[in-house]
Amino acid sequence: MNLSPEVRRVVEEALREDRAWEDLTTRLVLPGDPAAVAVAVVKQEAVVAGLEPFAAAFLLLDPATRVELLAHDGERVEPGRAVARVSGRAAAVLAAERVALNFLQRLSGVATLTARFVAAVADLPRPPRVADTRKTTPGLRALEKAAVRAGGGCNHRFSLADGVLVKDNHLALLRAAGLDLAAAVARARAATPHLLRVEVEAKTLEEVEAALAAGADAILLDNMDLGTLAEAVRRVAGRAVTEASGGVTLENVRAVAATGVDVISIGALTHSAPAVDISLEVV
């Protein structure tokens, strides 16, 4: 398996954190150097993600270990499904087990939760894009955003360098300095590539009007109630991309989508996704 540099980096760090090359229990308890075969079994309905870092944990600890992937990222699986088979030195299999499962369980959780949000709005006449945010686990952003894609979602900015988003604190500092939002948006647009959008956060309808007047390409409608969201979309009338964010749950995402917004960004996809129940069982 050709591991991506990002996967190699984060998995090596996780193995070092766990001191996987110094597994005291296995070294003291297991006699000799026996071989082992184990399968990763998913215990609940889930969308799989994270199979590359799962495999990488075993291969980086002992390149002689063999990992056979029995599923692919983005695949929906039923309880009892084996998604990978691992064979090699028992000491290597056991030492990498926890790190491998941590990645697979965490990233499958992100993909599974994302898929639930996507499914909740999929049958609407004009379903919005379900997007993540930068509320990711430090060091794991690329992997978690890949898991969002595996679940059918879309990625927002990967980093602060990937787009212009004028948020509430920027606006507060602009106002304190007596600066004009329209001038700030114009400066941002003049200094960025033409393919990058300039987005402005709005918490009120007055701020929506100000963002439109400033020429924003997209408007982030932050923590608005449903009535205000719908009115904001009506006022924008297609002149900018509308993005709803803040307080979106599985219980209300369909109502938020019905307001007509183009994008719904949900921090919970990465910061609150429960891990999927997956175990590695020696066979």
Side-chain angles (χ1 to χ4, degrees):
M1 175 180 289
N2 293 320
L3 302 176
S4 67
E6 183 69 17
V7 166
R8 180 180 292 272
R9 178 187 66 80
V10 297
V11 174
E12 284 179 341
E13 179 58 33
L15 289 169
R16 283 194 294 271
E17 178 184 59
D18 210 31
R19 296 175 67 178
W21 289 272
E22 305 171 48
D23 181 0
L24 188 63
T25 304
T26 300
R27 178 165 60 84
L28 294 178
V29 171
L30 285 185
D33 190 19
V37 177
V39 291
V41 180
V42 179
K43 302 298 185 68
Q44 64 185 88
E45 183 179 334
V47 175
V48 178
L51 286 167
E52 183 184 0
F54 171 86
F58 298 102
L59 299 175
L60 291 174
L61 191 140
D62 183 356
T65 304
R66 182 169 181 267
V67 181
E68 180 184 4
L69 300 182
L70 307 176
H72 58 80
D73 279 14
E75 183 174 349
R76 188 179 298 274
V77 300
E78 298 297 325
R81 170 74 180 275
V83 296
R85 181 181 178 89
V86 182
S87 56
R89 295 173 47 248
V93 173
L94 296 179
E97 173 186 359
R98 185 68 270 152
V99 168
L101 285 176
N102 283 350
F103 282 111
L104 188 59
Q105 291 180 279
R106 166 69 182 156
L107 297 174
S108 294
V110 171
T112 300
L113 182 59
T114 300
R116 294 182 67 191
F117 273 99
V118 171
V121 301
D123 65 338
L124 292 174
R126 185 175 170 271
R129 302 176 73 182
V130 173
D132 55 25
T133 69
R134 287 170 36 250
K135 296 175 182 178
T136 54
T137 306
L140 297 184
R141 179 169 295 171
L143 274 63
E144 291 180 347
K145 283 182 171 286
V148 167
R149 297 194 302 274
C154 301
N155 294 146
H156 210 286
R157 292 186 296 174
F158 270 76
S159 71
L160 291 171
D162 293 323
V164 177
L165 175 50
V166 184
K167 300 195 72 175
D168 53 353
N169 284 334
H170 298 106
L171 293 169
L173 290 167
L174 285 171
R175 286 192 291 267
L179 299 175
D180 179 69
L181 175 61
V185 169
R187 284 196 304 273
R189 181 172 286 112
T192 55
H194 69 282
L195 292 179
L196 284 183
R197 285 176 172 157
V198 176
E199 184 171 22
V200 175
E201 182 178 88
K203 295 180 180 294
T204 66
L205 293 174
E206 291 73 23
E207 290 179 349
V208 170
E209 295 289 355
L212 285 170
D217 301 305
I219 304 176
L220 191 157
L221 307 171
D222 184 51
N223 279 291
M224 291 182 175
D225 60 57
L226 293 175
T228 306
L229 263 181
E231 176 60 18
V233 171
R234 188 191 70 78
R235 294 192 187 189
V236 172
R239 289 177 287 168
V241 174
T242 53
E243 174 188 345
S245 185
V248 181
T249 66
L250 282 168
E251 288 69 36
N252 69 14
V253 67
R254 190 173 176 86
V256 172
T259 65
V261 292
D262 300 303
V263 181
I264 302 177
S265 56
I266 306 167
L269 299 184
T270 52
H271 71 57
S272 296
V276 170
D277 187 3
I278 306 173
S279 64
L280 190 71
E281 302 174 1
V282 173
V283 296

